[in-house]
């Protein structure tokens, strides 16, 4: 099992540009979560999906952020337009809906200059 | 918020010693989980303890849960240099599937 796969690993972009982060969860995992990690705010849950349906997006900071899960094996987190304060490490995680621990991806380090 | 708060924020011990980290939370939970994060890497799930459990073991890890005090502890016995990492507790609330993470404890094991 390759685990949760995120791409890209690093992204440097200019303010105002659109950024798309990608995630492939573990096959058979029905729940998918997007987190953001910064020194100041720690790990924040942005949004999560069950069976490809968004359940809770209350953590999405602004309308500039959007997430989709078109099928069970792929999700995207999009920021448009990006701002320097969006600089962070973005993690995707998945698990079965039966509960248990999350499996995290290696993260995408986003730098907006 | 049911966010966990961890104590201490940083801990430095000698290899071979035991390391204890504590976590407190605010609301009723379904379970509490501990994760490890090595620098620049993703989080790795270590252990899950349910609200009706009081203690759980996994290898050199021992986790306790006191729901009356809304607190948990993670004990790592016979620490090794490879245990150097940040450790996070996370709570899953009743009726909610999402995990809320604490700020973490930075553990350094000195050889």
């Amino acid at each position: 099992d390759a685990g949760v796969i995120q791409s890209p690993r690093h992204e440097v972009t200019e303010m105002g540009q659109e950024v798309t982060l990608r995630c492939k969860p573990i096959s058979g995992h029905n729940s998918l979560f997007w987190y953001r990690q910064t020194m100041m705010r720690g790990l924040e849950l942005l949004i999560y999906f069950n069976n490809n349906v968004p359940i809770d997006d209350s953590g999405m900071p602004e309308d500039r952020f959007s997430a989709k899960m078109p099928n069970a094996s792929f999700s995207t987190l999009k920021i448009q337009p990006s701002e320097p304060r969006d600089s962070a490490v973005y993690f995707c995680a998945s698990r079965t809906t039966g509960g248990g621990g999350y499996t995290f991806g290696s993260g995408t380090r986003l730098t907006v200059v | 918020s049911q966010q966990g708060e961890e104590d201490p924020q940083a801990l430095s011990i000698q290899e071979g010693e035991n390391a204890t980290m504590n976590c407190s939370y605010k609301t009723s939970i379904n379970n509490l989980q501990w994760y490890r994060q090595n620098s620049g890497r993703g989080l790795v799930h270590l252990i899950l303890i349910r609200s009706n459990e009081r203690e759980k073991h996994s290898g050199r890890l021992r986790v306790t849960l006191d729901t009356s005090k809304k607190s948990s502890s993670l004990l790592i016995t016979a620490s090794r240099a490879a245990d150097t990492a940040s450790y996070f507790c996370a709570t899953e609330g009743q009726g909610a599937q999402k995990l809320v993470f604490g700020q973490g404890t930075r553990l350094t094991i000195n050889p």
Side-chain angles (χ1 to χ4, degrees):
Chain A
D1 190 347
V4 175
I5 300 172
Q6 291 187 247
S7 64
R9 285 298 310 275
H10 302 274
E11 176 81 30
V12 181
T13 190
E14 292 185 347
M15 182 173 62
Q17 295 298 305
E18 177 179 297
V19 176
T20 299
L21 311 181
R22 298 173 175 79
C23 175
K24 176 180 170 55
I26 289 177
S27 178
H29 281 193
N30 308 92
S31 298
L32 183 141
F33 306 81
W34 282 100
Y35 282 85
R36 177 172 69 176
Q37 185 176 36
T38 61
M39 289 293 292
M40 291 296 295
R41 301 175 68 89
L43 276 156
E44 304 173 279
L45 177 66
L46 301 177
I47 185 171
Y48 78 94
F49 297 81
N50 279 350
N51 296 314
N52 314 337
V53 177
I55 302 301
D56 185 346
D57 65 355
S58 59
M60 297 286 262
E62 299 172 33
D63 290 346
R64 298 184 297 106
F65 286 69
S66 63
K68 294 182 179 179
M69 192 164 186
N71 57 63
S73 59
F74 184 65
S75 178
T76 59
L77 178 67
K78 185 176 295 185
I79 308 172
Q80 165 64 19
S82 58
E83 296 182 3
R85 59 193 168 121
D86 301 331
S87 297
V89 181
Y90 290 80
F91 288 104
C92 175
S94 70
R95 76 164 185 183
T96 62
T97 50
Y102 290 14
T103 301
F104 278 79
S106 298
T108 295
R109 182 174 295 276
L110 173 65
T111 303
V112 183
V113 298
Chain B
S1 169
Q2 65 185 38
Q3 184 178 26
E5 295 181 1
E6 286 152 271
D7 170 54
Q9 290 187 339
L11 178 63
S12 181
I13 62 174
Q14 295 300 121
E15 194 167 20
E17 295 180 340
N18 295 340
T20 299
M21 289 159 274
N22 302 296
C23 169
S24 61
Y25 57 92
K26 297 178 181 178
T27 61
S28 297
I29 62 171
N30 183 38
N31 66 69
L32 184 144
Q33 304 179 28
W34 286 90
Y35 288 78
R36 183 187 74 231
Q37 184 179 34
N38 290 90
S39 181
R41 308 292 293 274
L43 286 82
V44 175
H45 178 253
L46 296 176
I47 196 165
L48 179 153
I49 186 165
R50 302 191 188 283
S51 59
N52 61 353
E53 297 175 313
R54 292 296 167 259
E55 187 170 314
K56 208 161 182 181
H57 297 255
S58 176
R60 294 185 295 113
L61 305 181
R62 172 179 171 254
V63 169
T64 62
L65 178 64
D66 186 335
T67 52
S68 66
K69 295 181 179 178
K70 292 186 169 58
S71 67
S72 173
S73 67
L74 171 66
L75 168 68
I76 303 174
T77 61
S79 64
R80 305 167 181 170
D83 295 329
T84 294
S86 291
Y87 291 81
F88 294 87
C89 73
T91 53
E92 182 172 313
Q94 293 178 346
Q97 292 187 23
K98 58 185 181 182
L99 279 183
V100 178
F101 284 83
Q103 291 294 319
T105 293
R106 175 68 188 167
L107 175 65
T108 301
I109 308 299
N110 302 303

